[in-house]
Amino acid sequence: MAQIGTDIQKASSLLQQGELVAIPTETVYGLAGNALDVDVVAKIFAVKNRPEFDPLIVHVSSLRDAEKYVVDIPKKAERLTKLFWPGPLTLVLKKKNEIIPALVTAGLDTVGIRCPDHPLTRMLLSVLSFPLAAPSANPFGYVSPTSPQHVNAQLGDKIPYILDGGNCPVGIESTIIGFENETPIVYRMGGLSIERIENVIGNVEVRAHSTSNPITPGQLKSHYAPSKKLILGNLDELLQQYPAHSSGILTFSKNYHSPYQRILSPGGNLEEAARNLFQYLRDFDQMPIDVILAELLPEAGLGRAINDRLVRASAG
Ligand code: TXA
Ligand code: MG
């Protein structure tokens, strides 16, 4: 198992030696390594068992820092960074040159770049002389980790150290936005709502639901899946078809008084629901149940990103 601790010195010296370290962010834990070292990046793909066509996000400490690696930053992108960096927003921007190895970006001429908002990781980035490539710290296709224990359970035997930043306060991955001929395109809904983005830059095109020919594997239909089969629908109807004693129940706020239920937010708060989502999906894997029955949340705010995860999980 990996060592878990809050020693930034240790994390930074391991990273400088070309090792991988799991890092806390406000969204989910990342499996981090030196983004400029192709051997380290190859190790990230290997540890995650991730196909090399799926590009990694590069984590930087500021927009200034990002400018070392990207060119032609659209005005709208810059405005978003002013308001939402550090924060749960990844920008897909044109790569400057090959400072960032092609393996990081799966050969694309763009790079996904973000400035995470977690005090430990911000401190870590400030002492490192390189940016951190970091996918979510889970085996490819499984639910993202929102605590050091989640990381340890799945990748603990493959990495030396997990920087312990507690539970992730946002709980779902960053929103990914890129620009095609100046038009903003959302490739993955996430911890920053579409409404908050549109308030700043106007209408965006949401392409995160596309299932055929995905450019972004975050768009792959079967993703974010727990090990148990997840069935989405009207819970009252589903409970007539599936026996309650062998079914997990995932609700937004309603209480079904089942021993195998998880209520995302009893008070109906979407931020709280997002924070709990991945922990609860993991909980079901430990329960003596055959299926998970779940309902969609309101299609607003973080509800859209949560629904996106539920739909994908149900396709898994
Ligand atoms: O919140 C997050 O974004 C977390 C934390 C650790 O920062 N990271 C994360 O990484 O979720 P990952 O690798 O699990 O998901 C990154 C997504 C993938 O779906 C990938 O295809 C997409 O970002 N992506 C990366 N670079 C891209 C690019 N140049 N163009 C389009 N999509 C890109
Ligand atoms: Mg991931």
Side-chain angles (χ1 to χ4, degrees):
M1 288 287 113
Q3 196 185 330
I4 300 180
T6 56
D7 188 346
I8 291 180
Q9 205 70 52
K10 178 169 175 122
S12 76
S13 76
L14 284 166
L15 288 163
Q16 273 153 8
Q17 292 158 36
E19 298 287 344
L20 306 186
V21 170
I23 56 165
T25 82
E26 77 283 26
T27 58
V28 302
Y29 274 74
L31 176 64
N34 182 350
L36 308 184
D37 182 331
V38 73
D39 296 326
V40 171
V41 175
K43 232 189 305 189
I44 295 177
F45 280 94
V47 164
K48 253 191 87 96
N49 196 16
R50 178 177 177 121
E52 290 187 357
F53 60 74
D54 190 358
L56 305 180
I57 292 174
V58 172
H59 297 67
V60 295
S61 56
S62 63
L63 178 61
R64 283 290 283 293
D65 202 8
E67 281 166 348
K68 296 180 201 158
Y69 313 110
V70 299
V71 286
D72 305 336
I73 303 177
K75 272 265 155 331
K76 287 179 178 174
E78 205 179 313
R79 285 173 58 198
L80 290 173
T81 65
K82 293 246 150 72
L83 278 161
F84 301 123
W85 272 12
L89 172 71
T90 294
L91 292 167
V92 172
L93 299 170
K94 261 228 153 24
K95 271 173 95 169
K96 192 168 228 167
N97 44 39
E98 291 302 317
I99 308 176
I100 306 254
L103 182 59
V104 173
T105 56
L108 298 172
D109 61 357
T110 54
V111 56
I113 200 151
R114 99 172 183 96
C115 178
D117 187 16
H118 189 289
L120 285 185
T121 291
R122 295 196 73 194
M123 228 183 292
L124 179 63
L125 283 168
S126 75
V127 301
L128 291 171
S129 59
F130 46 80
L132 291 173
S136 52
N138 53 281
F140 184 70
Y142 192 72
V143 178
S144 294
T146 53
S147 76
Q149 290 70 34
H150 296 168
V151 181
N152 213 16
Q154 292 185 303
L155 301 181
D157 57 344
K158 298 190 171 117
I159 56 173
Y161 198 62
I162 300 170
L163 190 59
D164 184 355
N167 293 337
C168 299
V170 174
I172 52 176
E173 302 87 348
S174 61
T175 301
I176 302 180
I177 188 162
F179 297 84
E180 293 176 16
N181 305 318
E182 309 275 304
T183 304
I185 318 269
V186 171
Y187 297 116
R188 178 176 72 186
M189 289 189 278
L192 182 66
S193 72
I194 305 291
E195 291 91 328
R196 292 187 69 194
I197 292 172
E198 289 191 327
N199 275 341
V200 178
I201 59 168
N203 282 355
V204 300
E205 183 184 322
V206 178
R207 217 177 269 170
H209 272 298
S210 85
T211 50
S212 59
N213 190 22
I215 332 166
T216 305
Q219 297 179 328
L220 286 175
K221 208 167 170 209
S222 163
H223 216 71
Y224 311 105
S227 322
K228 298 235 159 85
K229 187 178 167 65
L230 185 143
I231 300 165
L232 267 177
N234 176 295
L235 284 173
D236 294 320
E237 287 168 18
L238 288 173
L239 280 165
Q240 317 234 306
Q241 298 168 48
Y242 295 89
H245 63 86
S246 58
S247 303
I249 304 173
L250 182 68
T251 75
F252 179 30
S253 47
K254 190 169 166 185
N255 189 343
Y256 280 86
H257 302 284
S258 154
Y260 306 129
Q261 77 176 1
R262 286 290 182 272
I263 304 172
L264 287 167
S265 172
N269 177 290
L270 292 166
E271 279 75 28
E272 181 182 31
R275 200 153 47 238
N276 288 329
L277 179 67
F278 290 155
Q279 172 70 56
Y280 289 178
L281 287 177
R282 278 171 192 262
D283 289 347
F284 289 122
D285 279 344
Q286 309 302 321
M287 295 179 188
I289 53 170
D290 299 327
V291 292
I292 306 164
L293 309 178
E295 62 182 359
L296 289 173
L297 276 60
E299 268 290 299
L302 296 192
R304 293 180 71 179
I306 295 168
N307 287 343
D308 173 76
R309 305 302 186 274
L310 291 174
V311 168
R312 287 170 211 274
S314 73

